[in-house]
């Protein structure tokens, strides 16, 4: 299923992008004066293969999973918080609920690996691959099969949502301990030093931070993930929600849907997806630059420039929600503005502009 | 009237901000994890003197005026474009209309100094102080009285809108030639070298750029504006719309309304306002960092950090519209998220977080 999805990913539609670029230059504004908004709108036409795209159905997929490595004291919050926050998501009280309502998006909560069963609820999708990962400081997070299943689960969730309508998708994460797994993934794939790609997650003190780095180094030693095999990396030091988010990215790319990445954990999922399918990169829009130090390094490596830099580090898809608002604005500029001809406005005097 | 308005401006409400800061720390997220969004929401409570503010009525005030200095070939577009763009605004086809609709704001177009009469239309407010400024390379842009009138007109427009409801106001500009006036204002007030505060406006080539710098230097020489007297600077080298925007800023500060600044021209208005009333600074939110090189220098001097950096340089209030979307999101975070107690979520284990 992963192979099939990857095979469906095509380069962006050059024809749609050429149309959009030309149209941008005819709109009633100085050429290029909306900067990144113009580029974004052009990218969206290439992704959707539609020169005049509409963004109506906005979806944020937030994947939740637990991490066995929490027993190594790598997080400021207890493990129970993953489940408690899923409950908070279900009842609409979390930051992602607020920001999704703000931009008119629906939030899809996916239990892909929470440590205990969640009572069935219309607002949460059960795609449980396991009851939390194992402690990566002592062995593999999950089996290779479970790694495959978690990516497949992500593809499935996206494809089920497509039936209801998805014009743009944001990805988000919830999982106490998941910045530890993400740093391990990034170090394994990129070869960067652990210190360079490890931050303070939900907010830990210096002693816990030093411990977190030791734990990640130990996880890499104990597991020796093969940086050339993204699924091996996911299995050895990853997380169910990170695999799931990689699946959403692959599915979005395969179906021509723009995918707006959130912060560091989402980017770790995005990294796995683009290592599996480099063409998927063009379908990703980086919403913001997280406070997590590894995020910026990762974005640079992926060749992505984040839209926002608001000192955020929450996850859940919160940055993605704000990013979707900007992407939607960019598409409206392309499709709703008057041209010079429509509006009877004189063009620039000189050719240089 | 200007004096009276300035006298009404008070420091931000510390009590409301203290409440908001405390509430932010009880919301279901790691402390400070929403970064700038948290700070913004706290600022808005201080501005509005309301610990739980609502942003419902969003207004963008776009002031239009012409500039006699256009006869010195400082712009890529002909003078007629100011009027043509006002017509475009009226009919909803400009970028500011699109972005205002996107965020659910109403756009108020003000003719404060367009060179010819505009046919009365429900979408445009007539506050004409003059038929375009005079050529600043040859003498004063306007009389001192007209400078006062333009600031007063801005205050009046805002106060008229308050009757209909204004929870937040964005400011924007339209005026071919107005980056030339803005650079002259900034150089006069800050003492910065003209080269450091002059950009390419709507997009001019190297030769026109060199000419623009020469023209601004000449305007400063010919007029010798008194950098300590903002109204003298406005009269000598300013523009009607720039004075009007300064008035909107003063009015917003006096009435406890957050004012979201757009790009370079709006910031020139903001600078005049805060030189007249330093307390007004706390009421301003800088939406974005314009491509115009003088903008960044100005924001630093005003102690403002822009929310966005999207390579935009259009004006009209386009950056302000996007900024308002972010401010609204920040306030919803403060007022709509569940607390740890509400949601039954465990707080952090360690005190450090």
């Amino acid at each position: 299923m992963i192979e099939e999805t990857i095979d469906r990913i095509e380069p962006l539609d050059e024809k749609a992008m050429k149309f959009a670029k030309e149209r941008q230059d005819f709109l009633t504004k100085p050429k290029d004066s909306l900067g990144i908004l113009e580029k974004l709108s052009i990218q969206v036409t290439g992704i959707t293969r539609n020169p005049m795209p509409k963004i109506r159905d906005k979806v944020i997929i937030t994947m939740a999973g637990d991490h066995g490595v929490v027993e190594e004291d790598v997080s400021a919050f207890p493990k129970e918080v993953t489940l408690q926050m899923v409950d908070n998501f279900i009842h609409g009280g979390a930051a992602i609920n607020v920001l999704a309502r703000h931009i008119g998006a629906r939030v899809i909560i996916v239990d892909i690996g929470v440590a205990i069963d969640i009572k069935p609820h219309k607002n949460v999708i059960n795609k449980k691959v396991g009851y939390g990962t194992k402690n990566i400081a002592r062995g593999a997070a999950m089996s290779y099969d479970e790694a495959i299943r978690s990516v497949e689960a992500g593809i499935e969730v996206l494809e089920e949502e497509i039936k209801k309508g998805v014009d743009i998708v944001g990805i988000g994460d919830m999982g106490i301990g998941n910045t530890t797994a993400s740093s391990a993934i990034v170090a394994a794939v990129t070869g960067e030093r652990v210190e360079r790609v490890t931050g303070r997650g939900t907010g830990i003190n210096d002693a816990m931070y030093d411990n977190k780095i030791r734990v990640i180094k130990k996880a890499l030693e104990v597991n020796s993930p093969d940086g050339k095999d993204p699924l091996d990396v996911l299995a050895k030091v990853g997380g169910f929600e990170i695999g799931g988010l990689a699946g959403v990215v692959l599915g979005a790319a395969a179906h021509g849907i723009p995918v707006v990445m959130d912060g560091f954990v989402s980017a770790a999922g995005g990294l796995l997806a683009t290592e599996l399918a480099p063409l998927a990169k063009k379908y990703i829009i980086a919403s913001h630059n997280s406070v997590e130090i590894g995020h910026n390094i990762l974005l640079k490596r992926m060749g992505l420039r984040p839209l926002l830099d608001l000192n955020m580090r929450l996850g859940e898809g919160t940055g993605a929600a704000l990013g979707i608002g900007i992407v939607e604005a960019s598409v409206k500029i392309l499709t709703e503005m008057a041209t010079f001809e429509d509006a009877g406005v004189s063009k620039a005097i000189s050719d240089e502009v």
Side-chain angles (χ1 to χ4, degrees), chain A residues 28 73 228 302:
Chain A
T28 45
D73 285 337
K228 298 271 171 291
M302 294 172 79

Side-chain angles (χ1 to χ4, degrees), chain A residues 187-228:
Chain A
V189 172
T190 67
E192 284 283 358
R193 286 174 50 233
V194 172
E195 288 83 353
R196 291 249 301 161
V197 297
T198 304
R200 285 164 190 261
T202 48
I204 51 179
N205 62 24
D206 290 347
M208 288 181 84
Y209 178 67
D210 291 343
N211 175 58
K212 183 175 176 180
I213 287 175
R214 270 194 305 274
V215 168
I216 295 169
K217 285 184 177 173
K218 196 171 164 205
L220 293 170
E221 253 176 56
V222 167
N223 289 291
S224 313
D226 174 5
K228 298 271 171 291

Side-chain angles (χ1 to χ4, degrees), chain A residues 69-70 72-78 176-178 180 202-204 208 212:
Chain A
V69 72
V70 166
E72 304 288 338
D73 285 337
V74 290
S75 176
F77 283 84
I176 298 300
N178 67 9
T180 299
T202 48
I204 51 179
M208 288 181 84
K212 183 175 176 180

